[in-house]
Each structure stands twice: as structure tokens, then as C-alpha cells.
Amino acid sequence: MEKINEELNGLWEDAIRTRFLEHMKDEDPEEWIKQNALDFRELMSYYRCAIMEVETKFKVLDEELSLKYDMNPIESIKSRLKSPASIVDKMLRRDFSFSVESIEKNLNDIAGVRVITAFPSDIYMLSEAFLRQDDIKLLQEKDYIQNPKPNGYRSLHLIVETPIFLHNSTKLMKVEVQFRTISMDWWATTEHKIRYKKDVEFPEIIDRELLECAEMAAVLDKKMEIISGRKPLKIEAI
């Protein structure tokens, strides 16, 4: 058991590690680690490569648009790789079989890229240009801008498949791409910090006020776009 804990130490929190070991009660955890630890690290490396591929695509789009149309629709690009703790927690909650193959098959949001724009219309212009690229395959789309979540959350989510080019092969990897305006991103980030504070009182009042803030942010997005005089950019071919 000491050897197992050493292998797992630093990968996920104690609570998740305990649940993982309990989940493996019918198997030999040491054998699982021996067989899967290297493959898991390799899989995470592939997801990092996929993030770099997607980030590069958006940087190229932004560069071209700045030259051709004298505009930079992308304010910033953020990325994240889901932590081992979060991966294990999600696999356990959904009761998926625990293997590297199962992780890759069942989780779509291990690699994430977030594109931040100034105006809502830029979100759809960029997403359409991105999806027109030959090596990008759309697997799933959720439009929380046209159909916000009940709590007020707004964003456009795409699950895409993109190739990464290794030294002797090509591998298809899934990446979650989120598009938000500056105000959408500010609201979502702040909402998360407020909602998950341990000492929040009267959560139902907080929920109502957060929803009001989300609605005000949406109105502000539309108003700023009108004030700017910007017209939605239609790009036939990129």
C-alpha cells in the first residue's frame, strides 16, 4: 500500500485517492498502476498537444483577420488540462470502468480552450471559421448564449476532434472549446468564486442576484456592440 500511495501522491487529493483505492477493491491497485500509469501520462501529453493545435488555429485566425479586416476579434485565449483529481472524480461519479481507454472514450472535457471576444457576434464568426477547417470535426455543440442556463451562464461550447501529428503517427484528440465575451467570462469566473464560498448565507438570494447580474451583462454586451457601430462580420472563406 505504501508503494501505491507513493505512485498516486501528487496526482490527486487524499479524498479522491481514497475513493480510487476503494473503487479498485476487486482489482490489484499496484498492478493497475504498473499497467496504466505510463499510458495515463502519455494520454495527458497528447491532450496538451491537442490544446496547442487548437490555440495555434485561433492565433492564425486572429492574425489573418487583423490584416485582412483590420480587426482583432480575439481578446485572449486561455487553456487548461483537467487535473488527475478531477478526472478520477468524474470517472467515479459516472461509474465508468477505470482504464486509460475508458477515460479517453468517456470524457470530452479533459483538454479545454477558451476564446474570449469583445462582442457576441465575434463568437459566432470565429466558431464558424474554426469549424470550416478541414481537420476539425464537430462532435457536439451547446449554445448557452441563445439558450442560457437557468443560473444565467452564457457561453458557446463545442466539442471537437482535432489531429495531433506525432513523430510516426497521427492521433485524433477531443478538445472542448468555449467562446465567451469579456463580460460572460467575468461573470462566470466571479459566479464560481461566490457560489463555492463555504460561508455564503442565504444562497437563494445570491442565486437570484447572480442571475440578475448575468442578464445585465448580456444587455451590456448588446449595447456595447451597438455603440461600437460594429456589424457582424461574414467571412465566406478563410
Side-chain angles (χ1 to χ4, degrees):
M1 186 60 69
E2 183 178 349
K3 182 179 179 180
I4 296 168
N5 283 327
E6 287 178 0
E7 290 284 347
L8 295 175
N9 191 32
L11 291 180
W12 44 71
E13 294 90 345
D14 289 342
I16 303 298
R17 182 169 62 241
T18 300
R19 288 172 59 198
F20 170 75
L21 293 174
E22 290 174 352
H23 182 77
M24 300 295 292
K25 62 183 178 182
D26 296 328
E27 301 180 44
D28 180 355
E30 186 171 349
E31 186 61 28
W32 187 93
I33 291 170
K34 187 186 300 183
Q35 293 178 1
N36 292 277
L38 182 59
D39 289 341
F40 180 83
R41 292 187 177 93
E42 185 177 63
L43 180 63
M44 293 301 102
S45 176
Y46 291 159
Y47 279 118
R48 281 191 289 272
C49 292
I51 286 172
M52 288 188 283
E53 289 281 353
V54 171
E55 285 182 326
T56 299
K57 287 179 178 295
F58 282 111
K59 289 175 181 177
V60 170
L61 278 174
D62 197 53
E63 178 69 17
E64 182 185 9
L65 291 169
S66 70
L67 292 172
K68 191 171 184 180
Y69 296 98
D70 193 27
M71 61 175 290
N72 290 92
I74 298 176
E75 294 293 322
S76 63
I77 301 173
K78 304 177 183 179
S79 64
R80 65 104 181 95
L81 189 67
K82 207 173 190 66
S83 70
S86 296
I87 292 171
V88 173
D89 182 52
K90 198 165 189 177
M91 294 294 286
L92 292 174
R93 283 190 285 107
R94 296 190 176 186
D95 199 29
F96 290 134
S97 60
F98 220 94
S99 67
V100 171
E101 292 77 13
S102 180
I103 290 171
E104 188 172 3
K105 176 183 176 181
N106 292 302
L107 299 188
N108 293 331
D109 61 346
I110 293 178
V113 174
R114 184 177 301 155
V115 179
I116 311 299
T117 71
F119 304 109
S121 61
D122 289 339
I123 288 176
Y124 295 102
M125 179 272 293
L126 285 168
S127 65
E128 289 169 10
F130 174 64
L131 291 175
R132 276 199 295 268
Q133 299 191 16
D134 293 340
D135 56 352
I136 292 295
K137 179 181 179 182
L138 177 64
L139 301 179
Q140 185 182 88
E141 178 177 344
K142 293 184 179 180
D143 191 339
Y144 297 116
I145 299 173
Q146 299 298 323
N147 302 286
K149 288 187 177 182
N151 68 343
Y153 175 83
R154 286 171 168 82
S155 182
L156 176 64
H157 289 200
L158 307 179
I159 303 296
V160 301
E161 195 172 62
T162 183
I164 60 171
F165 302 95
L166 307 172
H167 78 284
N168 62 354
S169 64
T170 301
K171 186 172 177 62
L172 296 175
M173 302 299 298
K174 288 184 286 189
V175 179
E176 180 186 53
V177 184
Q178 297 179 356
F179 297 86
R180 297 176 183 171
T181 62
I182 298 169
S183 65
M184 291 174 193
D185 190 56
W186 166 79
W187 181 91
T189 303
T190 308
E191 185 266 356
H192 186 271
K193 292 178 179 178
I194 293 172
R195 190 176 297 279
Y196 291 96
K197 283 180 63 178
K198 295 180 179 179
D199 57 347
V200 169
E201 295 183 7
F202 310 112
E204 66 283 353
I205 297 176
I206 296 296
D207 289 347
R208 185 170 65 247
E209 292 185 343
L210 285 170
L211 178 58
E212 290 177 3
C213 288
E215 292 169 348
M216 285 189 285
V219 170
L220 186 62
D221 268 341
K222 292 179 181 178
K223 193 165 186 177
M224 291 293 282
E225 191 158 41
I226 292 170
I227 292 172
S228 73
R230 285 282 303 280
K231 295 181 179 179
L233 183 61
K234 297 294 183 182
I235 302 175
E236 298 301 328
I238 290 183

